Amino acid sequence: MLAQLDALAGVWDMAATIGGQDLSGAWSTFEWIEDGAFLRLRADAELPADVPEELRANAPFPVTVIIGLDDSSERFGYLYADGRGVHRVYEMTLEGSEWSIWGQSGPEFFQRFFGTFSDDQNTIDARWEFSPDGETWELDFELTYRRRSSR
């Protein structure tokens, strides 16, 4: 099961569309740690000078994620922490070309992520969504990962 995560390993450039504004200048690195027991994601960004102050103030960078496997349920745990002091625990699957992350971060705050790998595995088109009730979903932002190098 852990071998599925090899599809993520490497360095990726990231671009997002948030509130109609295209943002680039972010990157992420997925690397194996603890002799292959976990995959660590580190993401950071150099935001352009013209980024609106609201987006700059709410940017999560730097981000650290630890991904591990529950071999009983065959689901991955996705432990998230960011530069704003936010800490979250999500569940995750990575099956074929589909990458999904989901969780509940409060009584009225649900989040989910859907990513799809390109045929050559070098691009991931994704989106984060949020919901107050886990049933009615709204787009938070769209995100594209482009592989810079493999590990």
Side-chain angles (χ1 to χ4, degrees), residues 3-149:
Q4 293 175 21
L5 299 179
D6 280 336
L8 293 169
V11 179
W12 300 79
D13 292 315
M14 299 173 358
T17 302
I18 303 172
Q21 174 140 2
D22 293 332
L23 301 172
S24 59
W27 62 92
S28 61
T29 301
F30 290 84
E31 60 187 346
W32 289 104
I33 60 171
E34 300 300 322
D35 296 322
F38 302 100
L39 189 68
R40 178 178 56 209
L41 158 63
R42 290 186 178 177
D44 210 342
E46 292 180 19
L47 297 176
D50 64 344
V51 169
E53 187 53 39
E54 180 180 354
L55 287 178
R56 184 175 301 281
N58 291 304
F61 302 107
V63 171
T64 301
V65 173
I66 303 295
I67 303 170
L69 176 66
D70 177 343
D71 57 8
S72 173
S73 69
E74 296 188 343
R75 285 198 176 146
F76 295 100
Y78 186 97
L79 306 176
Y80 171 97
D82 71 28
R84 301 168 297 177
V86 172
H87 297 85
R88 300 211 170 115
V89 177
Y90 298 98
E91 289 186 72
M92 183 187 110
T93 58
L94 184 58
E95 298 172 352
S97 65
E98 300 297 320
W99 180 20
S100 300
I101 304 165
W102 66 95
Q104 183 177 356
S105 300
E108 296 180 359
F109 188 60
F110 296 79
Q111 289 181 291
R112 66 184 184 186
F113 167 98
F114 297 104
T116 303
F117 283 83
S118 62
D119 290 340
D120 66 5
Q121 302 287 298
N122 290 323
T123 302
I124 305 168
D125 289 316
R127 69 185 184 279
W128 276 100
E129 299 177 344
F130 66 94
S131 170
D133 57 13
E135 294 180 21
T136 305
W137 293 91
E138 293 183 47
L139 177 66
D140 195 359
F141 63 93
E142 295 173 307
L143 178 65
T144 300
Y145 292 83
R146 296 197 193 290
R147 189 182 305 274
R148 189 186 308 169
S149 66

